[in-house]
Every structure is written in C-alpha cells, then in structure tokens.
C-alpha cells in the first residue's frame, strides 16, 4: 500500500486527469440532512476529512499511522487529527465526554487493513461515537481472507446499527455482488 506523499500523489494524478476524487465526501454529505459532525475513522493523509471540512462539516480525523497524520496536519493544521487505534481511541468533547458524531466514515479499505481480530472492537468503538440516527459509512474490498459483508453486518447490528443501503462504488452504483462494497449503517436507537 502506498504511504504518505506517494498515497497523496496517486489522488493528485487522478484529479489532474479530471477524475472525481471526492466520492466518499459526496456520499457522506448526501446522507446528512444539514451541516453535521463527522468522524473520519482511518483518515490517512486527510483527503476525505479535508474535503468534508471544506463543505462546512465539523470533522475529526483518527489514524494510527504517524506519517500519514503528519501529512494531514501539514495540509490542514486547523483540523483536529488524533493518532490512535480505532479499536480503543475515544474522541472527547470539551467536557471530556465521549464525542457523538452525526456520521463516521471508514474509507480507503480501513476495515481490511485493521489488525486481524480487532474488527469487532473497531466497529463497537466507532458505533459508540455515533449519536442518535448517526450513520457509519464504510467501503472495502471483498476478497477471500478479509472482512466479509455478513460478518461486518453482524458486527454493526450487534452495536445498534442497521443496514440502510449498500453500493458497489462511492458514487452510489447499485450493489449486485462483486469485489467492493460501500455500506451505510444507521444507529437505530
């Protein structure tokens, strides 16, 4: 997997060719009724978080990789970037309480790059950061040996999240099977 500047360069090349590079932000933005708060879980170099913030959303990025976060901080020092493990990091508000978000996005195959065995803890921790009606949007490859949709759906359901819709791309193409899925789960209670 490309790291840091190499990762960013790949997106810059796509943008230079006129390709859309903000499908994740477009989808998350469309799911929120108004300007809201978003947890970018596994934010990497901040591409999605920065675009959501540019659109007016209150965004916090969390990632384990310090090199990726250094680039995110360099590009958008005004945004909160937290180095931490998605399985255990708690994002807090000014009073020190667990922060509640309107949405959480796990783009860039976050779910398949997690430490094996931590997936249940990650979904539980992200779900715990969603307020009433909040949505978790995650896109990842469906390959043998990695997270499977039925497992992911069961983890989401166990944490009070119900599948609302599923796409095969961030641009909203219908999911009819295949090797990639974008799932939208909403907090039910």
């Amino acid at each position: 997997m490309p790291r840091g500047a190499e990762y960013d360069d790949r997106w810059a090349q796509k943008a230079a060719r006129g390709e859309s590079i903000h499908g994740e932000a477009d989808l998350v933005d469309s799911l929120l009724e108004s300007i809201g708060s978003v947890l970018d879980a596994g934010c990497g170099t901040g591409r999605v978080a920065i675009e959501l913030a540019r659109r007016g959303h209150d965004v916090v990025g969390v990632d384990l990789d310090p090199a990726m976060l250094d680039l995110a901080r360099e590009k958008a020092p005004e945004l909160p970037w937290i180095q931490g493990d998605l399985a255990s990091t708690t994002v807090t508000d000014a009073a020190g309480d667990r922060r509640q978000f309107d949405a959480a996005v796990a783009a860039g195959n976050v779910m398949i790059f997690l430490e094996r065995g931590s997936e249940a803890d990650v979904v539980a921790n992200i779900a715990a950061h969603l307020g009433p009606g909040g949505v978790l949007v995650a896109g990842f490859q469906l390959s043998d040996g990695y997270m499977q949709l039925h497992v992911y759906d069961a983890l989401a359901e166990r944490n009070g999240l119900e599948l609302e819709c599923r796409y095969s791309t961030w641009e909203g193409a219908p999911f009819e099977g295949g090797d990639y899925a974008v799932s939208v789960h909403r907090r039910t209670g």
Side-chain angles (χ1 to χ4, degrees):
M1 174 175 155
R3 311 290 300 169
E6 184 182 343
Y7 179 81
D8 273 357
D9 187 51
R10 188 176 76 183
W11 291 103
Q13 289 176 21
K14 286 182 175 203
R17 291 191 301 265
E19 295 178 35
S20 170
I21 63 167
H22 296 301
E24 300 95 335
D26 291 341
L27 181 57
V28 171
D29 199 36
S30 76
L31 295 168
L32 298 174
E33 293 180 14
S34 61
I35 299 301
S37 57
V38 182
L39 172 62
D40 188 350
C43 64
T45 64
R47 179 181 55 84
V48 176
I50 293 167
E51 178 61 18
L52 286 165
R54 187 191 68 74
R55 296 175 187 202
H57 298 287
D58 175 15
V59 183
V60 174
V62 176
D63 202 284
L64 188 59
D65 188 319
M68 299 286 256
L69 282 174
D70 285 345
L71 280 172
R73 289 183 182 110
E74 197 175 292
K75 293 187 297 185
E78 72 282 3
L79 294 180
W81 304 105
I82 299 170
Q83 183 179 350
D85 188 331
L86 292 174
S88 59
T89 296
T90 300
V91 179
T92 57
D93 60 21
D97 297 322
R98 181 187 309 270
R99 178 124 184 244
Q100 299 289 284
F101 292 87
D102 299 312
V105 60
N109 283 310
V110 167
M111 294 308 299
I112 66 170
F113 290 130
L114 298 172
E115 181 178 332
R116 296 290 170 108
S118 71
E119 298 89 350
D121 291 335
V122 169
V123 173
N125 192 35
I126 294 172
H129 282 88
L130 291 175
V135 293
L136 168 56
V137 187
F140 54 91
Q141 293 289 327
L142 305 174
S143 303
D144 288 341
Y146 289 108
M147 173 72 73
Q148 297 298 304
L149 286 177
H150 71 279
V151 173
Y152 180 69
D153 288 344
L155 293 174
E157 185 176 338
R158 185 182 315 156
N159 288 283
L161 304 174
E162 183 177 285
L163 181 65
E164 185 170 286
C165 52
R166 179 164 283 138
Y167 305 105
S168 64
T169 66
W170 286 97
E171 291 74 27
F175 181 76
E176 298 169 350
D179 64 355
Y180 192 83
V182 177
S183 304
V184 178
H185 287 84
R186 188 171 297 274
R187 175 158 297 294
T188 54

